[in-house]
Amino acid sequence: ETGVTQSPTHLIKTRGQQVTLRCSSQSGHNTVSWYQQALGQGPQFIFQYYREEENGRGNFPPRFSGLQFPNYSSELNVNALELDDSALYLCASRAPTGSFEQFFGPGTRLTVL
Amino acid sequence: AQSVSQHNHHVILSEAASLELGCNYSYGGTVNLFWYVQYPGQHLQLLLKYFSGDPLVKGIKGFEAEFIKSKFSFNLRKPSVQWSDTAEYFCAASNTDKLIFGTGTRLQVFP
């Protein structure tokens, strides 16, 4: 266990709907990153939040958005869901020290029908 | 462009066999390198990491990796695998918080 928790575990949505995924970072970790892991692929970086602001973004459209709260927990929101959004969504947190080691949560499995 | 390549997509071994999984990266400047493991139904777990210093890095569960700068490689090794090593293995690189992952290698170990 890494101390990073995510909810829900599984989610089924239909095309065009919106979804919100949640992440609680490990205690004291103020940086949270989100990754998308499609079936048979490695995780791909979506974006990162630091001190409640987006601090880096991967190659994902604006319908992928996020929030970070004062307690460092975070949300990933996806609007206008597409079939290709079906994936495992991973949250990772990092301590405020110089190490780049990230700790991953168990993920949320999103299925878009 | 920054990228990480894993050449072995699926590896099948018998217990006690030696393991080497390849990883090559394309990255400008300083790079941090990682190997993560994903056991069936579990979260990504860090096996080992290289930031600087000794290019031979030892991790958990008897795994090690060697950073060879001239070959842009960071191969993962284990002298004798066990059935419990069956999992998906990911190589990753970064110079910030943005991790670039390879596509993964599925390792199956048979008793």
Side-chain angles (χ1 to χ4, degrees):
Chain A
E1 295 297 325
T2 62
V4 179
T5 60
Q6 292 185 244
S7 63
T9 306
H10 296 91
L11 203 53
I12 300 175
K13 292 285 189 178
T14 56
R15 267 177 20 176
Q17 284 190 310
Q18 178 265 344
V19 69
T20 297
L21 311 181
R22 294 177 175 82
C23 169
S24 290
S25 60
Q26 191 173 115
S27 177
H29 287 192
N30 59 2
T31 302
V32 174
S33 300
W34 286 90
Y35 292 81
Q36 180 196 66
Q37 186 178 10
L39 200 61
Q41 300 295 318
Q44 289 198 13
F45 176 76
I46 303 175
F47 46 54
Q48 179 190 82
Y49 276 82
Y50 172 66
R51 291 186 174 180
E52 302 177 52
E53 292 196 1
E54 188 177 293
N55 181 39
R57 188 177 185 94
N59 190 25
F60 281 82
R63 59 189 185 84
F64 285 78
S65 64
L67 284 173
Q68 187 180 30
F69 301 98
N71 66 353
Y72 306 137
S73 66
S74 177
E75 285 182 356
L76 164 65
N77 298 290
V78 187
N79 293 323
L81 283 167
E82 300 177 0
L83 297 178
D84 285 348
D85 295 333
S86 294
L88 182 68
Y89 288 85
L90 299 168
C91 168
S93 72
R94 178 173 76 75
T97 59
S99 168
F100 286 118
E101 182 174 347
Q102 296 188 39
F103 296 84
F104 284 83
T108 293
R109 172 74 61 188
L110 172 65
T111 302
V112 182
L113 302 176
Chain B
Q2 298 164 341
S3 66
V4 174
S5 299
Q6 294 181 243
H7 314 297
N8 317 101
H9 298 292
H10 190 188
V11 173
I12 301 173
L13 295 173
S14 298
E15 276 193 320
S18 64
L19 171 72
E20 180 160 5
L21 301 182
C23 172
N24 287 93
Y25 65 92
S26 173
Y27 234 93
T30 303
V31 65
N32 305 307
L33 296 162
F34 307 82
W35 274 98
Y36 283 87
V37 61
Q38 194 169 33
Y39 297 104
Q42 295 189 28
H43 60 273
L44 274 172
Q45 181 180 356
L46 183 67
L47 272 179
L48 48 79
K49 60 191 177 189
Y50 173 79
F51 291 160
S52 63
D54 188 345
L56 185 61
V57 180
K58 294 192 184 299
I60 61 171
K61 306 188 180 187
F63 286 92
E64 65 178 31
E66 185 175 13
F67 170 58
I68 304 179
K69 189 174 181 179
S70 61
K71 295 184 178 180
F72 300 95
S73 70
F74 189 57
N75 292 354
L76 181 71
R77 299 195 292 249
K78 186 171 184 179
S80 177
V81 295
Q82 300 173 315
W83 175 79
S84 58
D85 293 323
T86 294
E88 189 94 21
Y89 291 80
F90 294 95
C91 182
S94 79
N95 57 9
T96 63
D97 281 316
K98 175 185 176 181
L99 284 167
I100 306 281
F101 284 87
T103 53
T105 297
R106 184 182 172 207
L107 172 65
Q108 280 185 293
V109 180
F110 288 97

